[in-house]
Amino acid sequence: MNTKSPAPRRSRANAPAGTRPPEAPGLAVRRAAAEAIDAVLERARPLEEVIERAARGLDERDRALARMIAATVLRRLGSLRALVRSMLERALPEKARRVETLLLIGAAQILFMDVPDHAAVATSVELAGEDQSTAGFKGLVNAVLRRIAREGRAVLPDVADQPPWLIDGWANAYGAPMAQAISRALASEAALDLTVKGDAAGWAERLGGRLLPTGTVRLAEAGNVPALPGFADGEWWVQDAAAALPARLLGAGPGQRVADLCAAPGGKTAQLAATGAEVVALDRSGPRLRRLQQNLDRLHLAAEIVEADATSWNGGPFDAVLIDAPCSATGTIRRHPDVAWTKAPADIASLGALQARILAHAGDLVRPGGLLVFSTCSLEPEEGERQVEAFLAARPDFTRDPVRPGECGIAAEWINPQGEVRTLPVHLPDEDPRFAGLDGFFAARLRRG
């Protein structure tokens, strides 16, 4: 295909006053998506943070569409990039990096979203014409996207959608076939999971969802979450099925004093408070704790909230301590596809060091005979299994309290030989892909002698 760029045209941004043509429908949405993608890939900023800024001024429906476009690009970035670059005779110049973003946005809509091909092509072409640095590539954008609309589904490369360093790490930890299966599972959007205070089976029926073996209610489609029955009344909260397991492993109840370290935004705090236990929720972030309090207020639940550093706070002893430690969050890529592109190997090392400090200090907060659950929403053994191994080597007063198959609805394949929980995105398969999968999570239950 001839990809020679036409001569640059005057950008719309530089057009004389009063001559700016009407904006094409949906153009602002795609512009916001492009800005968010660039912020994620070039500055490693979280998608939820940048989409709010990029989509400011759009109504709720358009903001959701902008986020969906950006998330789809990031979720399928490996294969989309490979496809786009295979259709170029030569690599785009560095100064035209935005052109690739516009091609990715158009291709994602054509291949993976319910968007008419002509709309996907036209809006990317129009966006290319807005800036002097990309206006000369309008013809190329048009030609490449039209070709993708004709041929793309048949020639989409079968490559990993995540960075090689992640795939290699998963291959080392779980074997190459499982690493490939994890990569494919992460290419699918996650369902909406709810933790219910009361009758989970009843709420599953009322909301048109399914009750999972773990007690979580799963919905295939979220829609407007605050508008769903039960939200305003505080009957349930959003929480992935895997993320709900660590708190359940504590077996907390009335009369017990429990600490939830690194507690915000509060899903696990709510689980513990709902058991009737006396809960202390600790986090170092004041704004995040205010959000936690708001969530507890909506749910009509109570906990003592403490703003402090989990590596040094002394408020024990406790019957049970839960650590949902800060981590790379690679287990949540289905929900947060930007994680694959905002994290690097150095982050695993630095976060692992922080986890070790929190875990070491938390051991002193547990009374003799009490329980400690350590968890992370990471697929990386450095943030899970290896942390526990190092802790037990340094603390002979702690031993594993192995998780048993069937406990809390946990399947045998989710339990490693040491009795720790290790969920993977491929777990909980379903014939209907909308209901399949789990976040990648690790949890170990330890008892102090």
Side-chain angles (χ1 to χ4, degrees):
M1 180 178 65
N2 181 12
T3 59
K4 185 177 180 180
S5 303
R9 297 171 57 186
R10 179 190 298 268
S11 75
R12 285 174 33 169
N14 296 327
T19 64
R20 187 180 179 97
E23 184 162 273
L27 197 63
V29 171
R30 277 70 176 183
R31 186 186 302 115
E35 292 174 3
I37 292 166
D38 288 344
V40 170
L41 298 181
E42 296 177 17
R43 302 196 301 276
R45 304 308 304 163
L47 176 59
E48 297 303 331
E49 169 191 307
V50 297
I51 198 67
E52 280 299 312
R53 185 179 303 111
R56 188 177 294 127
L58 299 180
D59 62 28
E60 182 177 337
R61 180 178 178 180
D62 284 346
R63 283 198 305 272
L65 179 56
R67 187 203 179 279
M68 182 179 295
I69 293 172
T72 302
V73 168
L74 296 169
R75 184 174 289 112
R76 300 306 304 264
L77 187 57
S79 52
L80 284 172
R81 265 183 172 162
L83 175 64
V84 165
R85 291 175 181 181
S86 73
M87 295 192 171
L88 299 173
E89 290 184 357
R90 61 182 65 87
L92 292 167
E94 182 66 21
K95 65 179 182 180
R97 189 181 306 172
R98 183 61 173 263
V99 175
E100 182 181 64
T101 300
L102 300 180
L103 288 168
L104 293 170
I105 285 174
Q109 294 173 82
I110 291 168
L111 299 176
F112 303 120
M113 297 179 65
D114 187 21
V115 174
D117 291 352
H118 67 86
V121 175
T123 49
S124 283
V125 172
E126 187 72 11
L127 285 174
E130 286 190 333
D131 189 88
Q132 192 69 40
S133 67
T134 58
F137 294 89
K138 286 179 64 176
L140 180 144
V141 171
N142 182 62
V144 169
L145 290 181
R146 286 181 178 275
R147 183 178 171 190
I148 288 174
R150 295 192 307 269
E151 307 171 13
R153 293 171 181 82
V155 299
L156 185 69
D158 184 17
V159 299
D161 284 307
Q162 301 80 36
W165 72 270
L166 276 177
I167 303 297
D168 292 344
W170 300 336
N172 291 333
Y174 310 112
M178 180 57 74
Q180 294 169 5
I182 289 171
S183 177
R184 288 193 295 270
L186 293 174
S188 298
E189 190 172 3
L192 180 72
D193 287 350
L194 311 176
T195 297
V196 178
K197 285 196 301 186
D199 178 14
W203 278 106
E205 181 177 359
R206 182 174 179 183
L207 294 171
R210 295 185 183 179
L211 179 61
L212 302 182
T214 60
T216 286
V217 173
R218 173 162 290 183
L219 309 183
E221 298 178 0
N224 184 4
V225 172
L228 293 175
F231 179 88
D233 298 327
E235 296 293 338
W236 48 261
W237 58 96
V238 176
Q239 186 179 35
D240 184 81
L245 296 176
R248 289 176 178 149
L249 291 175
L250 283 178
Q256 288 190 309
R257 188 165 187 255
V258 182
D260 180 10
L261 306 184
C262 315
K268 296 174 180 63
T269 299
Q271 285 182 276
L272 297 170
T275 70
E278 177 188 342
V279 181
V280 176
L282 180 140
D283 202 279
R284 65 184 300 175
S285 168
R288 284 168 57 82
L289 283 175
R290 287 192 286 275
R291 179 183 172 192
L292 182 150
Q293 183 64 68
Q294 292 169 355
N295 289 335
L296 291 180
D297 291 344
R298 178 181 67 83
L299 297 169
H300 310 295
L301 295 170
E304 178 185 350
I305 296 178
V306 177
E307 183 177 346
D309 190 332
T311 65
S312 58
W313 177 72
N314 292 306
F318 291 93
D319 299 296
V321 172
L322 173 63
I323 308 170
D324 183 22
C327 70
S328 63
T330 55
T332 71
I333 292 174
R334 293 186 313 150
R335 300 182 187 280
H336 305 289
D338 52 304
V339 166
W341 304 101
T342 57
K343 295 296 189 295
D347 296 313
I348 308 297
S350 61
L351 287 164
L354 174 61
Q355 294 154 15
R357 294 197 301 272
I358 294 173
L359 184 53
H361 183 71
D364 295 330
L365 302 178
V366 182
R367 68 164 177 80
L371 288 176
L372 172 63
V373 168
F374 173 79
S375 68
T376 57
C377 55
S378 169
L379 290 166
E380 319 314 310
E382 299 91 336
E383 300 183 281
E385 292 87 344
R386 295 178 192 170
Q387 289 289 346
V388 171
E389 290 170 3
F391 175 78
L392 292 176
R395 294 292 299 259
D397 55 330
F398 277 87
T399 57
R400 290 185 180 89
D401 187 350
V403 179
R404 301 175 300 278
E407 184 180 354
C408 302
I410 296 171
E413 66 174 334
W414 306 354
I415 303 174
N416 68 18
Q418 289 73 40
E420 302 157 341
V421 176
R422 166 53 78 189
T423 62
L424 300 174
V426 298
H427 288 155
L428 207 66
D430 196 282
E431 291 183 358
D432 186 340
R434 300 177 303 164
F435 287 98
L438 285 171
D439 278 0
F441 235 90
F442 172 84
R445 184 172 57 193
L446 312 173
R447 187 175 295 275
R448 188 173 189 182

